[in-house]
Amino acid sequence: MSEHQQLQRKLGTFDATTIGLGSMLGAGVFVVFAPAAALAGNLLVVSVIIAGAVAYCNAVASAALASKYPTSGGTYVYGRKQLGEWPGFLAGWGFVTGKTASCAAMALTFGSYVAGSYAVPVAVAAVVALTVVNLLGITRTALLTRILLCVVLATLVFVAVAALAGPHPVAAPGTAAPGASGGVLPAAGLLFFAFAGYARIATLGEEVKDPARSIPRAILGALASAFAIYLALALLLLNHLPGGRLAATKTPLLEAVLQSQFAAGAPAVQAGAAAACLGALLALITGVGRTTLAMARERDLPRPLARIGGKHTVPYVAELTVAAVVILLQLTTDVMTVVGFSSFGVLLYYAVANASAFTLRDHPVYAPKWLNAAGFLGCLLLAFTLPAASVLTMAAVLALGVAGRWLVLRFRR
């Protein structure tokens, strides 16, 4: 059971696409439209298009890099190989910390949907159960993700039919949709949080068959599917829920069904939201564990986290550590505080991905240099237009990681 043992290539293109799409259709699709509408108002669709465009730039950069470096770790590895140790560390640290917080949010959202006042113990149980699934091997992860994704897609189709069929509530006199053109970019930054699931495909590069062919197809296929779904839902919700009702609700898709002739189907939406939370949480725990493994291999995190073992050759120490930290966060945080925090960390992660792809000697036809430059600038623009509290919190976490690595490097010398 060597610390340098490799993970096994068991995932095909379809499995990798499923994991990516399952991440992008997680809890975010059930909650993100409300805060985004509060910022952008009737320009919500423009925010979706901007978020999708930046996500596309990042996706093609990730696809080009993943086909060249088919190993666990994603942009952490790409940054180290193409730009140097420090950019790679910033990407990895931003991803691990931001997405670990997201894991806690996903689990708490699941607990809130299914258990109400018992949300925290149910959330802890969900993390324990999904960690066990991950420890049983990546093929079990892909199978459960596929099942949960089918439930989520069926739920979204039901919501779309309800919103289309109506009846559409009439806006109260004198009420208008909140938001303005100045809120379009901050709303796009929040929506990007929901698009970022294709990172999970790149972080699984060491477990994908024929990675040079399969990873680009999986990344672009998952992103195209998610973009079409988010754009359709934004259009339907704006048409169905008048004035500030979309912005005011905490459960926009559930509200859309409750205000339709299919209100009796509301429990199905709650079940779908629960399945979405579980699917996204499963993929998140998997991705964070693989990035933690890669950072530990390079001694940017403690070396024991790089251990691989068991019958199914999984990074069991990293998986168990991530689960423990997520459970700790569940006991100390609430759901809504981490969306902007996670968005900033992930946007920084993809800024490094675009910069890394820009330096490649050979560029695939789908990832020209100008697209990498556009993605880099788009990531920074969206990151620094997020709410100030999110930016400052993540900046403090990044500074803590940089200071810790600097002290460790001095001690080693």
Side-chain angles (χ1 to χ4, degrees):
M1 189 165 59
S2 169
E3 291 186 354
H4 302 289
Q5 184 179 356
Q6 298 297 300
L7 300 174
Q8 295 180 7
R9 299 194 182 278
K10 295 182 176 180
L11 296 178
T13 302
F14 182 77
D15 286 331
T17 304
T18 300
I19 290 175
L21 188 57
S23 300
M24 286 185 270
L25 297 179
V29 74
F30 287 88
V31 297
V32 77
F33 287 109
L39 290 167
N42 290 328
L43 297 176
L44 175 64
V45 172
V46 179
S47 296
V48 173
I49 293 171
I50 292 173
V54 175
Y56 176 76
C57 294
N58 300 338
V60 297
S62 298
L65 290 160
S67 61
K68 182 176 176 62
Y69 301 110
T71 187
S72 290
T75 298
Y76 167 71
V77 173
Y78 314 149
R80 285 180 64 92
K81 297 288 188 181
Q82 296 293 133
L83 303 175
E85 292 184 1
W86 278 107
F89 174 80
L90 279 174
W93 183 245
F95 181 84
V96 167
T97 53
K99 288 303 184 182
T100 299
S102 292
C103 288
M106 295 290 181
L108 287 170
T109 301
F110 168 75
S112 298
Y113 266 99
V114 302
S117 58
Y118 297 97
V120 173
V122 170
V124 170
V127 171
V128 172
L130 294 181
T131 300
V132 170
V133 172
N134 278 335
L135 293 176
L136 292 175
I138 192 64
T139 54
R140 306 304 196 284
T141 300
L143 176 60
L144 181 55
T145 301
R146 193 183 306 170
I147 294 170
L148 293 172
L149 181 59
C150 289
V151 175
V152 173
L153 289 174
T155 303
L156 295 181
V157 169
F158 175 65
V159 171
V161 170
L164 192 62
H168 310 301
V170 178
T175 61
S181 58
V184 168
L185 288 178
L190 292 180
L191 285 160
F192 183 84
F193 166 82
F195 277 117
Y198 50 83
R200 242 64 74 228
I201 301 172
T203 59
L204 298 174
E206 197 172 313
E207 295 163 275
V208 176
K209 303 171 187 175
D210 191 10
R213 175 177 174 271
S214 297
I215 292 178
R217 290 187 175 189
I219 288 176
L220 297 177
L223 177 61
S225 302
F227 177 74
I229 291 168
Y230 274 87
L231 187 60
L233 286 174
L235 289 166
L236 289 169
L237 290 173
L238 284 175
N239 178 66
H240 181 53
L241 297 178
R245 182 168 287 180
L246 175 58
T249 180
K250 292 183 179 180
T251 54
L253 301 193
L254 180 60
E255 181 71 12
V257 171
L258 289 173
Q259 298 299 325
S260 76
Q261 59 185 293
F262 299 110
V269 179
Q270 292 175 292
C277 292
L278 288 178
L281 179 59
L282 181 63
L284 274 173
I285 292 173
T286 306
V288 174
R290 269 56 178 181
T291 302
T292 301
L293 164 71
M295 295 183 74
R297 283 172 169 171
E298 301 293 345
R299 301 181 69 191
D300 280 338
L301 289 177
R303 286 300 293 273
L305 293 171
R307 289 178 182 159
I308 296 172
K311 177 181 177 182
H312 303 287
T313 60
V314 293
Y316 67 98
V317 178
E319 295 277 7
L320 292 173
T321 302
V322 169
V325 175
V326 170
I327 290 171
L328 178 64
L329 288 173
Q330 288 171 348
L331 303 175
T332 57
T333 61
D334 62 77
V335 176
M336 296 309 295
T337 57
V338 297
V339 173
F341 172 90
S342 179
S343 291
F344 187 88
V346 175
L347 283 162
L348 176 64
Y349 176 88
Y350 282 116
V352 175
N354 280 288
S356 301
F358 186 85
T359 63
L360 286 173
R361 181 174 299 176
D362 299 315
H363 283 259
V365 66
Y366 58 80
K369 267 193 169 186
W370 69 265
L371 203 59
N372 303 148
F376 177 79
L377 295 174
C379 285
L380 294 183
L381 179 63
L382 294 186
F384 288 101
T385 54
L386 285 166
S390 300
V391 175
L392 293 175
T393 302
M394 193 61 188
V397 172
L398 291 170
L400 183 64
V402 168
R405 185 175 190 268
W406 182 78
L407 288 174
V408 169
L409 290 177
R410 281 183 61 86
F411 177 78
R412 287 176 186 166
R413 294 193 190 104

